[in-house]
Amino acid sequence: MPESPLSDLAGRTVVVTRASHQASSLATALREHGATVVVAPAIAVVPPLDGGQPLDDALLRLEQYSWVAFTSSNAVAATFARADRRGVRRRFARIRTAAVGPSTAARVEAEINRPVTLVPERHDAAGLAGAFPEPRADDWCFVPQSAQARPELVDGLRARGWNVDAVSAYRIVTPTLSDHLVADVSGADAVVFASPSAVRGHMSQIGSDAVTGQVVCIGSTTAAACAEADLRVAAVAARPTDDGLVEAVVAAAHR
């Protein structure tokens, strides 16, 4: 008898490395397909070391920007939390918005209650920079980002003539895993990475030699981080969403 679509991961243990506040939806989706899920956060999102003052300053002069560009849901959450604290959320009403992919776009749209202006076909920072329109002389783009953000978006926009104001909205740290959790992770059939920072965090937690299961990534940038860490990638999600990740895990498991 063919395996049910909702049990196609039965008997397999899958590690989810997202931050604890972001792991539940993916973990639930994997369990619905029969997987045993180990949530082992490789990253935690905390305020930037500068205390958030540069972010406050940018939000207070938001009308000066033509665009705001988001490369992660964490940046969206941190930016709008700070905007609410400063009472300036309404200033996003007229600014054009760009998001690196559909998941980030959905988070932006939930915050501003209108469609995002730009989502690139290629869902990474370089693709977002390349999808921007040509700037006018007085155009400025506001980029709230991780303190450890890669330079592709900012450098790409500046290379095309954009004025860019990039500020740290948050930073990533690596939590410590319990010995019991490390043991569960080490024996898993698959591990899922949704960001380069999760790859680096996971490696520092358990070491590359302890990753024995199939590696599944949300996109090409994360896959590149795995290659840098000498991890062989079994599958990359066709779409940078929870459903895309689950499909990639299933495909890797039955390949």
Side-chain angles (χ1 to χ4, degrees):
M1 179 178 293
E3 199 169 40
S4 165
L6 294 184
S7 62
D8 45 18
L9 291 175
R12 291 179 169 86
T13 300
V14 181
V15 178
V16 173
T17 59
R18 279 179 169 164
S20 57
H21 70 285
Q22 296 174 318
S24 60
S25 61
L26 177 57
T28 297
L30 288 165
R31 290 186 183 110
E32 288 175 349
H33 283 257
T36 298
V37 178
V38 177
V39 177
I43 62 173
V45 180
V46 299
L49 290 173
D50 58 26
Q53 189 60 51
L55 179 58
D56 283 349
D57 292 344
L59 289 169
L60 291 172
R61 60 175 185 272
L62 198 62
E63 293 91 344
Q64 298 177 15
Y65 301 113
S66 309
W67 288 78
V68 56
F70 295 103
T71 57
S72 71
S73 295
N74 287 325
V76 179
T79 299
F80 282 94
R82 202 79 182 188
D84 285 340
R85 190 175 302 174
R86 295 294 174 256
V88 297
R89 174 182 285 264
R90 66 187 184 280
R91 299 186 184 190
F92 282 91
R94 296 182 181 180
I95 192 170
R96 284 165 285 184
T97 53
V100 71
S103 296
T104 303
R107 184 63 187 264
V108 176
E109 289 167 358
E111 296 286 357
I112 64 177
N113 199 30
R114 60 183 169 87
V116 166
T117 312
L118 174 65
V119 181
E121 291 186 6
R122 176 182 163 188
H123 300 149
D124 58 26
L128 182 56
F132 259 72
E134 292 301 315
R136 297 168 298 184
D138 58 346
D139 274 337
W140 278 83
C141 182
F142 169 41
V143 181
Q145 60 184 3
S146 166
Q148 299 101 325
R150 296 170 65 93
E152 285 86 352
L153 175 58
V154 172
D155 287 355
L157 288 172
R158 286 175 176 158
R160 297 189 55 213
W162 278 89
N163 300 302
V164 181
D165 193 2
V167 301
S168 296
Y170 66 99
R171 62 188 172 96
I172 296 295
V173 297
T174 302
T176 300
L177 301 182
S178 67
D179 292 343
H180 177 74
L181 197 52
V182 169
D184 289 344
V185 166
S186 300
D189 299 291
V191 56
V192 180
F193 294 116
S195 67
S197 55
V199 176
R200 293 188 290 269
H202 192 67
M203 292 303 94
S204 69
Q205 288 170 327
I206 70 168
S208 58
D209 292 341
V211 181
T212 56
Q214 293 175 307
V215 174
V216 177
C217 297
I218 198 168
S220 58
T221 303
T222 303
C226 287
E228 292 173 5
D230 294 326
L231 294 179
R232 181 179 179 275
V233 176
V236 178
R239 295 167 290 127
T241 61
D242 287 349
D243 288 343
L245 280 168
V246 172
E247 291 168 4
V249 174
V250 170
H254 293 278
R255 186 166 298 152

